[in-house]
Amino acid sequence: DGGITQSPKYLFRKEGQNVTLSCEQNLNHDAMYWYRQDPGQGLRLIYYSQIVNDFQKGDIAEGYSVSREKKESFPLTVTSAQKNPTAFYLCASSLLQGMRGYTFGSGTRLTVV
Amino acid sequence: KQEVTQIPAALSVPEGENLVLNCSFTDSAIYNLQWFRQDPGKGLTSLLLIQSSQREQTSGRLNASLDKSSGRSTLYIAASQPGDSATYLCAVREGETSGSRLTFGEGTQLTVNP
């Protein structure tokens, strides 16, 4: 079955350390997205990519970086510049056009220790 | 900038009750609207997707309606069950020219008591 796989499920980061969250999809979707979810807040868009080798900043891109070298993969790096990285991170994908909606992964919970 | 609001923020009902969750959005120029379910610590599961040209969609005990002109959508859950307990999120997809982004509401946390 097609879907989105996020790994790891739980991730712990030390102060000043960069960490990378993985997101892979086999749905042949064009677009991929990273969202951040904090308690009491809605999902906020970090970055999105509509095609390979191209991506755009979302609403809260500072302290994050992404790459899109393959259609299936959209890894997110949380850099040391992100001052409050503890959150639940969700990856999603969609077709750019068409009648279908978004598909989400199961999330990665990142905690700063 | 599109804003999505969900009312109520939390809802607790006895099993078997029919209920309505509300979602409103400020910009009616949407491509579609999607309702999701999220269980604690989990990802989002898509429940229903309504295209901008549609008025409603149904799946089992769930029915979602869309009134684009007034910027509103409702999710109707019939004969609620304890297994329906979760957070329900509404999200609107902006027009294609804006990169297919989704804007989310903050969700309604539903508890169905046995």
Side-chain angles (χ1 to χ4, degrees), chain A residues 9 37 88 90 105-107 109, chain B residues 36-47 81-89 108-110:
Chain A
K9 188 172 183 178
Q37 187 176 36
F88 190 52
L90 288 159
S106 57
R109 183 163 300 280
Chain B
F36 295 91
R37 169 187 172 134
Q38 186 176 30
D39 293 289
K42 305 293 185 183
L44 275 62
T45 299
S46 180
L47 297 174
Q81 303 171 357
D84 294 330
S85 298
T87 297
Y88 291 81
L89 295 162
T108 294
Q109 186 172 359
L110 173 66

Side-chain angles (χ1 to χ4, degrees), chain B residues 86 103 110-111:
Chain B
T103 302
L110 173 66
T111 302

Side-chain angles (χ1 to χ4, degrees), chain A residues 57-84:
Chain A
K57 293 181 179 180
D59 301 319
I60 55 165
E62 185 175 353
Y64 299 97
S65 66
V66 293
S67 63
R68 187 88 185 273
E69 297 178 0
K70 299 185 299 181
K71 186 176 182 179
E72 301 78 19
S73 178
F74 191 42
L76 173 74
T77 296
V78 183
T79 74
S80 57
Q82 172 50 240
K83 299 306 178 187
N84 184 24

Side-chain angles (χ1 to χ4, degrees), chain A residues 9 33 35 37 40-43 45 48 50 58-59 88 90 94-102 104-106 109, chain B residues 1 31-32 34 36 38 41-46 49 51 53-54 89 93 96 98-106:
Chain A
K9 188 172 183 178
Y33 313 81
Y35 285 88
Q37 187 176 36
Q41 298 191 39
L43 277 73
L45 182 64
Y48 65 102
Q50 299 180 70
D59 301 319
F88 190 52
L90 288 159
S94 74
L95 294 170
L96 273 183
Q97 298 178 2
M99 310 300 281
R100 300 182 183 176
Y102 282 55
F104 278 79
S106 57
R109 183 163 300 280
Chain B
K1 179 183 176 184
Y31 184 64
N32 59 35
Q34 197 165 359
F36 295 91
Q38 186 176 30
K42 305 293 185 183
L44 275 62
T45 299
S46 180
L49 172 68
Q51 301 301 327
S53 58
Q54 297 175 320
L89 295 162
R93 176 172 169 169
E96 289 178 276
S98 58
S100 304
R101 295 174 56 169
L102 272 184
T103 302
F104 283 85
E106 294 187 11

